Amino acid sequence: MTGPAAPGGEYAVVVPTLGRPSLGVCLRALAEAEGPGPARVVVVDDRPGPAGVALTAAVPPSLRSRTLVVPGGGRGPAAARNTGWRAAGDVPWVVFLDDDVVPGPTWADDLALDLAGATVATAGITARIEVPLPAGRRPTDWERNTAGLAGARFITADMAYRRRVLEAVGGFDERFRRAFREDADLALRVLDAGWTLSAGRRTTTHPVRPAGRWVSVRLQAGNADDVLMTRLHGRDWWRRAEAPRGRLRRHLAVTAAGLAAAGCALSGRPGAAAVCAAGWLAGTGEFAAARILPGPRTRDEIVTMAVTSVLIPPAAAWHWLRGHLVHRAAARRTAHRPGGAPPAHRPPVGERLGS
């Protein structure tokens, strides 16, 4: 990587992190990419509680004089990204990278071309996300889930935004506490404000990170974020964000059938209980088959899919109901026009690295 870009194409890189080992891989790839480097790199330490091992060791020597480590407070990736871009200084562009991605070898050169090709109406430029899958076998359910990131329209795993656009729309909505939907929410607000978003040529790899047996159950917490999206953007936000609808309606139906079967059995109606139980079993079996058949069909994968296919529908229903409760006061968004006043904020206290 060469020195910082020319003033018109200057950019800062913001990387929120929980201190995962992948952070060092990401920053090394950034440092080694061919082309003009960032004016500043802001690493947002979003680990909750007392600070753990210092993140300075993950920063390559060639980036240390331009790197600032700031605390995020453990408030989630949306808040961490806001902290990062506000600490990045007065640069025209801010590029958000996740700490588990790997920028390609020509990433900086390709980014320079992306920024040079932006029109005055361009608010942001996406990257091409590649998810490597194993050769020689079918991908697991988790691997297929991660591979879906390659087609995500507004993913902030690698996304460049104009700083003045972030100021105009207020940055990320910090009610999104997970790494889910905060990118689509920002993109829809930017589009509503009259800007455009374009696809870039730079390429970034998003490896499949290790995950436990219950990861698919934990992911159902995103149903609460979908409720917030509907509150903020209306029922058609799925179409506008080009997001898949998922299986929530089926999960609600399967959960209702299971609850009805239990209720009928407890009230002494065995016939009705049997009908409802058959509906629950059919729905659960169809869901498990839909997850097992495309996969490697190993014993461990089949067992995991069978067990989690029982747990996912009620988990999805629970988080959907929780979202309605937590976000009951959320109001529909109104468009912000370009050029609005930036939100007031206090710069975070950061740790600048020496060379």
Side-chain angles (χ1 to χ4, degrees):
M1 179 173 283
T2 61
E10 275 192 333
Y11 66 96
V13 171
V14 172
V15 186
T17 184
L18 293 173
R20 295 184 291 194
S22 58
L23 173 65
V25 178
C26 174
L27 294 178
R28 284 195 299 273
L30 176 65
E32 294 169 2
E34 297 178 5
R40 176 169 292 181
V41 176
V42 181
V43 176
V44 185
D45 184 351
D46 204 38
R47 292 174 292 183
V53 177
L55 300 179
T56 54
V59 182
S62 62
L63 290 180
R64 290 196 171 187
S65 63
R66 289 176 272 168
T67 298
L68 185 69
V69 177
V70 297
R75 296 180 295 130
R81 292 191 185 105
N82 282 341
T83 297
W85 70 259
R86 289 166 179 162
D90 188 17
V91 292
W93 292 92
V94 178
V95 183
F96 297 102
L97 293 178
D98 285 352
D99 71 349
D100 57 351
V101 302
V102 183
T106 61
W107 184 88
D109 269 335
D110 294 336
L111 173 65
L113 293 173
D114 288 345
L115 302 184
T119 70
V120 293
T122 302
I125 306 171
T126 64
R128 298 174 182 175
I129 303 297
E130 296 181 347
V131 180
L133 294 177
R137 66 164 174 81
R138 296 178 178 182
T140 64
D141 180 70
W142 171 238
E143 289 166 345
R144 296 194 305 274
N145 180 283
T146 305
L149 298 175
R153 181 69 176 86
F154 305 120
I155 184 172
T156 43
D158 183 343
M159 181 71 172
Y161 270 108
R162 289 190 192 272
R163 180 186 173 89
R164 65 188 178 98
V165 172
L166 295 170
E167 292 175 341
V169 301
F172 292 87
D173 189 328
E174 298 182 8
R175 286 173 291 187
F176 292 93
R177 297 295 298 268
R178 304 171 62 254
F180 192 67
R181 302 304 189 206
E182 83 290 353
D183 47 7
D185 168 72
L186 176 60
L188 292 183
R189 285 188 283 126
V190 167
L191 294 172
D192 286 343
W195 298 88
T196 62
L197 297 170
S198 62
R201 68 187 71 199
R202 67 192 186 280
T203 300
T204 293
T205 299
H206 193 305
V208 180
R209 67 175 183 266
R213 184 184 295 270
W214 312 110
V215 62
S216 58
V217 179
R218 294 195 300 271
L219 289 178
Q220 301 312 307
N223 285 285
D225 299 311
D226 286 346
V227 171
L228 178 56
M229 287 292 291
T230 300
R231 296 277 191 185
L232 297 177
H233 299 285
R235 295 186 179 275
D236 69 337
W237 73 264
W238 303 88
R239 175 185 57 79
R240 297 175 56 220
E242 301 178 30
R245 286 301 302 264
R247 299 176 62 106
L248 176 62
R249 292 178 181 177
R250 297 186 192 184
H251 291 334
L252 294 176
V254 168
T255 302
L259 292 174
C264 289
L266 291 174
S267 62
R269 293 182 290 169
V275 171
C276 293
W280 173 84
L281 184 61
T284 302
E286 182 275 331
F287 181 39
R291 302 171 70 209
I292 292 171
L293 292 178
R297 306 183 195 177
T298 61
R299 181 181 181 277
D300 185 66
E301 178 75 357
I302 291 172
V303 169
T304 298
M305 294 300 98
V307 174
T308 56
S309 293
V310 174
L311 300 176
I312 284 175
W318 161 252
H319 286 294
W320 178 74
L321 291 172
R322 180 178 63 83
H324 280 284
L325 177 64
V326 172
H327 302 304
R328 63 189 181 278
R332 181 72 180 262
R333 293 253 189 226
T334 56
H336 291 76
R337 305 311 301 174
H345 65 274
R346 290 182 298 175
V349 177
E351 173 190 0
R352 188 182 300 278
L353 306 187
S355 57

